[in-house]
C-alpha cells in the first residue's frame, strides 16, 4: 500500500459538468491518482462515510499501483443510459449512444409518477429493442408489482434493476412477477454481497468496480455469485470507465450489455469521450489529457476536501 504523501503528490481533483441532472447532481467531482501503473479514480459520493468510501479508494489504488487483469475480449457491448428525463428528451439522449441495442432507463424518480416512467420507457422502445429499467430501490414490493405490469404492457423488459431496497423485498418480488430482477445496491453496498444469491433474490447481478474495491475483488465476487453479471459504472470519469471496461473484458463469460457508456452524460471529461462503434466500446486503459485536467480542476477548497477524505479513508483500505 502506498503511503499518504505519495498518493497526495500524484493527486488531481476535477469537477465534471453534466448534461442533465443525474443522481441529483449536475457536477461530478472525482479525485484522480497518476500512479506508476496507470491512473486510478476515487469518486465515492460525498454522502458516503469513510468505511464505505474506503472501498472506492482501494479500487483507485489498485489501478494506480497494481497489475492489470488478463483480458478475454477486446471490446464490450454497452447499454445506453437514459436519466429520468421527459419522454420528449429521449431521442436527444439516445443519440449519444450510437449503435446501442440495449438501454437502461431510470425510473421511480422522486417527484415523478409511474405514468412518467411508462412514457419514458415507451419512447426508448421506439428506437432501442432491449430495455431494462433501474429504480434504485425506490419501490415497495406492491409498487414494483404494479410498475412491472405497467412497464410491460407495451413490450418486454430485460430486467428490473434494484426495484426494491432490501433483499427480502427482492426475494418476495421475484415470486410475484415474471420479469427478471437484478440486484445492484444489495450487492455493492452490502456487508455480504452474496446474500442476494442465497436468498434467491436476483436473476442478474449488477457489479461496479469502485464500490466493490477494485477489478480483482469484483471478479472474485462475480465468480462466487453464480448468476449472470452486468458491469456498470458509478458515474465515473473516462478513467473509471476504462477500469470497468477492463473488468468486463476479464470476465469468463459476458452475456449482457454493460452499463459503461455513461461518459456521454458529461459535457466535458478528462479524456476525449469514447464513441461506441456498433454499440461497443474498446477495453483499454485511459490517460487523462493535461490540458483537460487543468481546465476541469476543482477549486482549492474542494481539493482540500478530497485530501481530507483520502487521509481518512487510506487507513481503512485493504
Amino acid at each position: 500500500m502506498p503511503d499518504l504523501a505519495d498518493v497526495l503528490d500524484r493527486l488531481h481533483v476535477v469537477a465534471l459538468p453534466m448534461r442533465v441532472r443525474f443522481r441529483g447532481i449536475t457536477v461530478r467531482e472525482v479525485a484522480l491518482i497518476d500512479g506508476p501503473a496507470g491512473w486510478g479514480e476515487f469518486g465515492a459520493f460525498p454522502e458516503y462515510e469513510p468505511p464505505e468510501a474506503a472501498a472506492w479508494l482501494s479500487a483507485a489504488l489498485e489501478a494506480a499501483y497494481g497489475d492489470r487483469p488478463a483480458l478475454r475480449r477486446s471490446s464490450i457491448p454497452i447499454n445506453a443510459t437514459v436519466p429520468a428525463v421527459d419522454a420528449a428528451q429521449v431521442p436527444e439522449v439516445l443519440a449519444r449512444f450510437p449503435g446501442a441495442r440495449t438501454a437502461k432507463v431510470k425510473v421511480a424518480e422522486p417527484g415523478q409518477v409511474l405514468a412518467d416512467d411508462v412514457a419514458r420507457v415507451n419512447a426508448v422502445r421506439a428506437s432501442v429493442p432491449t430495455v431494462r429499467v433501474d429504480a434504485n430501490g425506490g419501490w415497495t414490493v406492491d409498487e414494483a408489482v404494479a410498475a412491472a405490469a405497467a412497464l410491460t404492457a407495451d413490450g418486454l423488459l430485460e430486467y428490473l434493476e434494484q426495484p426494491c431496497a432490501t433483499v427480502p423485498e427482492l426475494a418476495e418480488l421475484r415470486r410475484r412477477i415474471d420479469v427478471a430482477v437484478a440486484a445492484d445496491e444489495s450487492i455493492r453496498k452490502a456487508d455480504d454481497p452474496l446474500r442476494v444469491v442465497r436468498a434467491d433474490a436476483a436473476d442478474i447481478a449488477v457489479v461496479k468496480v469502485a464500490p466493490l474495491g477494485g477489478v480483482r475483488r469484483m471478479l472474485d465476487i462475480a465468480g462466487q455469485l453464480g448468476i449472470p453479471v452486468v458491469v456498470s459504472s458509478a458515474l465515473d470519469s473516462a478513467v473509471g470507465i476504462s477500469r470497468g471496461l477492463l473488468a468486463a473484458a476479464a470476465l469468463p463469460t459476458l452475456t449482457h450489455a454493460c452499463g459503461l457508456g455513461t461518459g456521454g452524460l458529461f459535457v466535458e471529461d478528462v479524456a476525449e469521450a469514447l464513441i461506441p462503434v456498433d454499440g461497443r466500446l474498446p477495453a483499454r486503459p485511459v490517460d487523462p489529457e493535461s490540458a483537460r485536467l487543468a481546465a476541469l480542476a476543482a477549486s482549492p477548497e474542494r481539493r482540500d476536501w478530497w485530501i481530507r477524505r483520502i487521509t481518512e479513508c487510506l487507513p481503512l483500505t485493504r
Side-chain angles (χ1 to χ4, degrees):
M1 188 64 64
D3 63 34
L4 177 63
D6 190 64
V7 172
L8 297 184
D9 188 52
R10 300 173 181 272
L11 186 66
H12 300 261
V13 179
V14 294
L16 309 179
M18 302 183 63
R19 297 181 187 277
V20 296
R21 183 176 296 275
F22 192 87
R23 206 184 173 278
I25 61 175
T26 55
V27 175
R28 175 71 164 125
E29 286 186 355
V30 296
L32 302 176
I33 302 168
D34 182 8
W39 285 81
E41 177 172 327
F42 175 45
F45 293 106
E47 68 269 22
Y48 291 0
E49 295 296 328
E52 183 174 1
W56 298 60
L57 183 56
S58 293
L61 297 177
E62 176 195 65
Y65 294 89
D67 297 329
R68 292 173 185 165
L71 306 187
R72 299 170 185 263
R73 54 194 66 83
S74 60
S75 67
I76 306 300
I78 58 112
N79 64 246
T81 300
V82 181
V85 297
D86 185 88
Q89 294 179 264
V90 164
E92 175 190 347
V93 174
L94 291 178
R96 296 194 283 271
F97 302 91
R101 307 293 294 167
T102 301
K104 180 171 83 168
V105 184
K106 289 290 186 178
V107 294
E109 181 81 357
Q112 296 185 2
V113 297
L114 182 55
D116 298 320
D117 297 335
V118 172
R120 187 180 313 113
V121 166
N122 284 340
V124 172
R125 281 198 182 105
S127 301
V128 179
T130 302
V131 179
R132 54 181 68 153
V133 300
D134 182 7
N136 290 115
W139 292 320
T140 66
V141 174
D142 287 341
E143 288 171 339
V145 170
L151 293 168
T152 56
D154 299 305
L156 299 176
L157 285 178
E158 185 181 24
Y159 58 72
L160 301 174
E161 181 176 331
Q162 199 68 43
C164 305
T166 69
V167 170
E169 287 176 313
L170 296 181
E172 180 185 346
L173 180 64
R174 279 192 76 216
R175 296 191 293 268
R176 294 178 56 182
I177 64 173
D178 293 328
V179 183
V181 172
D184 176 8
E185 287 90 342
S186 291
I187 294 173
R188 65 179 168 87
K189 294 177 75 72
D191 293 333
D192 178 5
L194 304 182
R195 184 185 173 205
V196 289
V197 174
R198 291 196 299 272
D200 238 6
D203 303 280
I204 295 163
V206 178
V207 292
K208 300 179 179 181
V209 169
L212 292 177
V215 171
R216 295 196 180 280
R217 186 159 188 269
M218 191 219 80
L219 293 172
D220 180 59
I221 290 171
Q224 295 181 63
L225 285 167
I227 57 177
V229 301
V230 172
V231 183
S232 189
S233 82
L235 201 54
D236 305 317
S237 79
V239 171
I241 289 288
S242 73
R243 294 299 290 179
L245 290 165
L246 292 174
L251 285 167
T253 58
L254 184 65
T255 56
H256 294 271
C258 290
L260 296 168
T262 53
L265 296 175
F266 298 122
V267 177
E268 296 289 345
D269 204 339
V270 294
E272 186 173 355
L274 292 175
I275 304 300
V277 177
D278 294 329
R280 304 179 72 92
L281 287 175
R284 63 173 185 243
V286 167
D287 292 336
E289 300 169 19
S290 57
R292 291 174 182 260
L293 288 173
L296 295 167
S299 69
E301 294 78 15
R302 295 305 299 163
R303 177 181 170 84
D304 289 344
W305 185 90
W306 281 94
I307 287 174
R308 291 193 298 272
R309 196 174 203 205
I310 291 171
T311 303
E312 291 176 331
C313 290
L314 186 63
L316 305 178
T317 58
R318 54 179 181 270

